[in-house]
Amino acid sequence: MPHSDAIPASRPLNDQHARARAAFVARLKPGAHLLNGQCGTGEDLCWLRAEGYVVTACDAVLADAKVASQQSGQAVRVCPLPRMHSVLPYDGIWLSRPLDSDAATLAPLLQQLATLLKAGAPICFPLLPSSEMSHDQQLHHLQQLVTTSGIALQLAPIETVSTNTPQSANQNASQYVMLLRGDHPAP
């Protein structure tokens, strides 16, 4: 008998996201109010709700938002991430899909997301796989973008996937990045 909040058997909790998830929730208080942006069909939304968090979710694709709503049992906003607004800041933001790595769109989006966070709150998202840059180079590039753009975010460490995992397990593995909202208010 299926349960709407259950993680599908093909994606157990000790999957490729486990370390990023653990690092993210370690920075949260029980019952924290989170934004699950770009939530897709709701796997991460169900996981966050099952962990006891209050979650606001959004996705720009109507069909995905409908599936996520059905899977999670809650309404999912149909809204592109750049248009997401909230009266009260979130305790954290978990993005289920990578952000566009183009600096012209990434910098304003990160600036906008920073305004949605409480001071010290985390934002966590997967990086787009790159054949041109290593994970460390991507992190360095992101840090430079955040610093030069004056965005109120700073990189936080996430333990990377172990190198002794089977090659097949790493082919589709996502590398995550976590940023923390600075203590100073956003402009």
Side-chain angles (χ1 to χ4, degrees), residues 4 8 19 32 35 44 49 89 113 120 137 142 161 165 174 181:
S4 62
R19 290 186 178 157
L35 172 63
D44 292 332
R49 286 174 44 97
L113 290 173
Q137 289 170 323
L142 182 61
V161 176
T165 55
S174 296
R181 172 78 160 76

Side-chain angles (χ1 to χ4, degrees), residues 2-186:
H3 299 285
S4 62
D5 286 349
I7 301 296
S10 61
R11 304 287 299 267
L13 281 180
N14 63 354
D15 67 6
Q16 64 179 339
H17 309 289
R19 290 186 178 157
R21 287 175 171 172
F24 180 71
V25 298
R27 296 189 175 273
L28 302 174
K29 293 179 180 171
H33 185 200
L34 307 175
L35 172 63
N36 180 201
Q38 302 179 167
C39 73
T41 57
E43 176 188 313
D44 292 332
L45 172 57
C46 291
W47 166 72
L48 290 166
R49 286 174 44 97
E51 291 293 311
Y53 299 107
V54 176
V55 185
T56 299
C58 70
D59 198 277
V61 179
L62 176 61
D64 285 350
K66 283 183 177 180
V67 172
S69 291
Q70 291 169 345
Q71 294 294 327
S72 67
Q74 79 170 51
V76 173
R77 294 181 189 180
V78 179
C79 177
L81 203 50
R83 288 206 222 137
M84 191 65 192
H85 296 284
S86 179
V87 175
L88 297 174
Y90 294 102
D91 297 309
I93 298 175
W94 178 273
L95 302 179
S96 297
R97 295 182 183 151
L99 297 176
D100 183 355
S101 59
D102 178 33
T105 55
L106 183 58
L109 179 56
L110 288 174
Q111 180 66 49
Q112 191 261 338
L113 290 173
T115 67
L116 296 175
L117 286 170
K118 291 180 180 175
I123 177 172
C124 193
F125 56 92
L127 290 173
L128 280 172
S130 173
S131 59
E132 299 167 10
M133 285 193 280
S134 70
H135 178 68
D136 289 341
Q137 289 170 323
Q138 285 180 304
L139 291 178
H140 180 72
H141 176 72
L142 182 61
Q143 181 62 57
Q144 283 183 319
L145 175 70
V146 166
T147 303
T148 58
S149 301
I151 301 169
L153 294 170
Q154 62 188 22
L155 276 175
I158 294 181
E159 185 180 338
T160 57
V161 176
S162 172
T163 56
N164 63 1
T165 55
Q167 180 64 22
S168 61
N170 276 335
Q171 283 179 334
N172 296 319
S174 296
Q175 295 287 338
Y176 281 78
V177 63
M178 187 173 354
L179 300 167
L180 300 178
R181 172 78 160 76
D183 290 332
H184 53 288

